[in-house]
PDB file of all heavy atoms in Angstrom:
ATOM      1  N   ALA A1729      88.870  88.026  13.380  1.00  0.00           N
ATOM      2  CA  ALA A1729      88.866  86.551  13.579  1.00  0.00           C
ATOM      3  C   ALA A1729      87.529  86.094  14.190  1.00  0.00           C
ATOM      4  O   ALA A1729      86.911  87.019  14.976  1.00  0.00           O
ATOM      5  CB  ALA A1729      90.046  86.119  14.470  1.00  0.00           C
ATOM      6  N   ARG A1730      86.967  85.007  13.940  1.00  0.00           N
ATOM      7  CA  ARG A1730      85.773  84.458  14.471  1.00  0.00           C
ATOM      8  C   ARG A1730      85.646  84.612  15.941  1.00  0.00           C
ATOM      9  O   ARG A1730      84.682  85.146  16.568  1.00  0.00           O
ATOM     10  CB  ARG A1730      85.486  83.048  14.027  1.00  0.00           C
ATOM     11  CG  ARG A1730      84.025  82.702  14.283  1.00  0.00           C
ATOM     12  CD  ARG A1730      83.855  81.241  13.821  1.00  0.00           C
ATOM     13  NE  ARG A1730      82.537  80.821  14.257  1.00  0.00           N
ATOM     14  CZ  ARG A1730      81.381  81.043  13.569  1.00  0.00           C
ATOM     15  NH1 ARG A1730      81.471  81.687  12.493  1.00  0.00           N
ATOM     16  NH2 ARG A1730      80.288  80.574  14.016  1.00  0.00           N
ATOM     17  N   ASP A1731      86.719  84.276  16.638  1.00  0.00           N
ATOM     18  CA  ASP A1731      86.763  84.389  18.137  1.00  0.00           C
ATOM     19  C   ASP A1731      86.803  85.814  18.686  1.00  0.00           C
ATOM     20  O   ASP A1731      86.444  86.008  19.837  1.00  0.00           O
ATOM     21  CB  ASP A1731      88.037  83.687  18.708  1.00  0.00           C
ATOM     22  CG  ASP A1731      88.000  82.183  18.553  1.00  0.00           C
ATOM     23  OD1 ASP A1731      86.748  81.705  18.191  1.00  0.00           O
ATOM     24  OD2 ASP A1731      88.897  81.478  18.718  1.00  0.00           O
ATOM     25  N   ASP A1732      87.119  86.712  17.886  1.00  0.00           N
ATOM     26  CA  ASP A1732      87.171  88.120  18.358  1.00  0.00           C
ATOM     27  C   ASP A1732      85.811  88.929  18.009  1.00  0.00           C
ATOM     28  O   ASP A1732      85.691  90.035  18.273  1.00  0.00           O
ATOM     29  CB  ASP A1732      88.318  88.912  17.610  1.00  0.00           C
ATOM     30  CG  ASP A1732      89.643  88.382  18.081  1.00  0.00           C
ATOM     31  OD1 ASP A1732      89.660  87.956  19.278  1.00  0.00           O
ATOM     32  OD2 ASP A1732      90.638  88.497  17.298  1.00  0.00           O
ATOM     33  N   LEU A1733      84.931  88.173  17.504  1.00  0.00           N
ATOM     34  CA  LEU A1733      83.580  88.650  17.264  1.00  0.00           C
ATOM     35  C   LEU A1733      82.698  88.486  18.504  1.00  0.00           C
ATOM     36  O   LEU A1733      82.535  87.383  18.977  1.00  0.00           O
ATOM     37  CB  LEU A1733      82.883  88.108  16.118  1.00  0.00           C
ATOM     38  CG  LEU A1733      83.082  88.767  14.682  1.00  0.00           C
ATOM     39  CD1 LEU A1733      82.436  87.831  13.678  1.00  0.00           C
ATOM     40  CD2 LEU A1733      82.601  90.167  14.585  1.00  0.00           C
ATOM     41  N   HIS A1734      82.136  89.641  19.012  1.00  0.00           N
ATOM     42  CA  HIS A1734      81.200  89.460  20.156  1.00  0.00           C
ATOM     43  C   HIS A1734      79.897  90.019  19.613  1.00  0.00           C
ATOM     44  O   HIS A1734      79.825  91.049  19.068  1.00  0.00           O
ATOM     45  CB  HIS A1734      81.725  90.370  21.290  1.00  0.00           C
ATOM     46  CG  HIS A1734      83.116  90.060  21.676  1.00  0.00           C
ATOM     47  ND1 HIS A1734      83.552  89.182  22.551  1.00  0.00           N
ATOM     48  CD2 HIS A1734      84.393  90.648  21.261  1.00  0.00           C
ATOM     49  CE1 HIS A1734      84.826  89.174  22.760  1.00  0.00           C
ATOM     50  NE2 HIS A1734      85.429  89.966  22.049  1.00  0.00           N
ATOM     51  N   ALA A1735      78.837  89.270  20.020  1.00  0.00           N
ATOM     52  CA  ALA A1735      77.528  89.713  19.609  1.00  0.00           C
ATOM     53  C   ALA A1735      76.599  89.846  20.806  1.00  0.00           C
ATOM     54  O   ALA A1735      76.718  89.014  21.703  1.00  0.00           O
ATOM     55  CB  ALA A1735      76.793  88.703  18.633  1.00  0.00           C
ATOM     56  N   PHE A1736      75.854  90.925  20.916  1.00  0.00           N
ATOM     57  CA  PHE A1736      75.060  91.254  22.068  1.00  0.00           C
ATOM     58  C   PHE A1736      73.515  91.457  21.599  1.00  0.00           C
ATOM     59  O   PHE A1736      73.413  91.964  20.529  1.00  0.00           O
ATOM     60  CB  PHE A1736      75.477  92.413  22.851  1.00  0.00           C
ATOM     61  CG  PHE A1736      76.949  92.360  23.289  1.00  0.00           C
ATOM     62  CD1 PHE A1736      78.007  92.723  22.538  1.00  0.00           C
ATOM     63  CD2 PHE A1736      77.247  91.681  24.474  1.00  0.00           C
ATOM     64  CE1 PHE A1736      79.338  92.687  22.928  1.00  0.00           C
ATOM     65  CE2 PHE A1736      78.601  91.515  24.891  1.00  0.00           C
ATOM     66  CZ  PHE A1736      79.601  91.997  24.122  1.00  0.00           C
ATOM     67  N   ASP A1737      72.680  91.099  22.466  1.00  0.00           N
ATOM     68  CA  ASP A1737      71.305  91.312  22.204  1.00  0.00           C
ATOM     69  C   ASP A1737      71.126  92.893  22.359  1.00  0.00           C
ATOM     70  O   ASP A1737      71.450  93.367  23.426  1.00  0.00           O
ATOM     71  CB  ASP A1737      70.385  90.629  23.080  1.00  0.00           C
ATOM     72  CG  ASP A1737      68.845  90.789  22.893  1.00  0.00           C
ATOM     73  OD1 ASP A1737      68.298  91.804  23.272  1.00  0.00           O
ATOM     74  OD2 ASP A1737      68.389  89.883  22.181  1.00  0.00           O
ATOM     75  N   SER A1738      70.588  93.524  21.405  1.00  0.00           N
ATOM     76  CA  SER A1738      70.643  95.055  21.413  1.00  0.00           C
ATOM     77  C   SER A1738      69.693  95.388  22.587  1.00  0.00           C
ATOM     78  O   SER A1738      69.903  96.546  23.191  1.00  0.00           O
ATOM     79  CB  SER A1738      70.020  95.535  20.114  1.00  0.00           C
ATOM     80  OG  SER A1738      70.912  95.258  19.124  1.00  0.00           O
ATOM     81  N   ALA A1739      68.647  94.686  22.905  1.00  0.00           N
ATOM     82  CA  ALA A1739      67.662  95.348  23.860  1.00  0.00           C
ATOM     83  C   ALA A1739      68.204  95.053  25.220  1.00  0.00           C
ATOM     84  O   ALA A1739      68.170  95.947  25.987  1.00  0.00           O
ATOM     85  CB  ALA A1739      66.288  94.511  23.666  1.00  0.00           C
ATOM     86  N   SER A1740      68.598  93.781  25.579  1.00  0.00           N
ATOM     87  CA  SER A1740      68.947  93.574  26.878  1.00  0.00           C
ATOM     88  C   SER A1740      70.410  93.720  27.255  1.00  0.00           C
ATOM     89  O   SER A1740      70.845  93.823  28.395  1.00  0.00           O
ATOM     90  CB  SER A1740      68.727  92.029  27.219  1.00  0.00           C
ATOM     91  OG  SER A1740      69.458  91.195  26.385  1.00  0.00           O
ATOM     92  N   GLY A1741      71.325  93.819  26.038  1.00  0.00           N
ATOM     93  CA  GLY A1741      72.653  94.061  26.288  1.00  0.00           C
ATOM     94  C   GLY A1741      73.457  92.679  26.660  1.00  0.00           C
ATOM     95  O   GLY A1741      74.683  92.693  26.934  1.00  0.00           O
ATOM     96  N   GLN A1742      72.689  91.600  26.684  1.00  0.00           N
ATOM     97  CA  GLN A1742      73.313  90.318  27.134  1.00  0.00           C
ATOM     98  C   GLN A1742      74.103  89.754  25.917  1.00  0.00           C
ATOM     99  O   GLN A1742      73.678  89.818  24.731  1.00  0.00           O
ATOM    100  CB  GLN A1742      72.224  89.299  27.599  1.00  0.00           C
ATOM    101  CG  GLN A1742      71.513  89.642  28.821  1.00  0.00           C
ATOM    102  CD  GLN A1742      72.567  89.703  30.027  1.00  0.00           C
ATOM    103  OE1 GLN A1742      73.369  88.736  30.176  1.00  0.00           O
ATOM    104  NE2 GLN A1742      72.475  90.730  30.885  1.00  0.00           N
ATOM    105  N   ARG A1743      75.113  89.091  26.269  1.00  0.00           N
ATOM    106  CA  ARG A1743      75.967  88.358  25.229  1.00  0.00           C
ATOM    107  C   ARG A1743      75.256  87.240  24.646  1.00  0.00           C
ATOM    108  O   ARG A1743      74.457  86.521  25.335  1.00  0.00           O
ATOM    109  CB  ARG A1743      77.249  87.783  25.941  1.00  0.00           C
ATOM    110  CG  ARG A1743      78.185  87.100  24.983  1.00  0.00           C
ATOM    111  CD  ARG A1743      79.339  86.475  25.785  1.00  0.00           C
ATOM    112  NE  ARG A1743      80.334  85.942  24.754  1.00  0.00           N
ATOM    113  CZ  ARG A1743      81.259  86.723  24.223  1.00  0.00           C
ATOM    114  NH1 ARG A1743      81.456  88.034  24.686  1.00  0.00           N
ATOM    115  NH2 ARG A1743      82.048  86.227  23.376  1.00  0.00           N
TER     116      ARG A1743
END
Side-chain angles (χ1 to χ4, degrees):
Chain A
R1730 193 181 169 82
D1731 286 348
D1732 290 331
L1733 267 177
H1734 307 269
F1736 302 93
D1737 185 278
S1738 296
S1740 70
Q1742 291 296 316
R1743 181 187 187 84

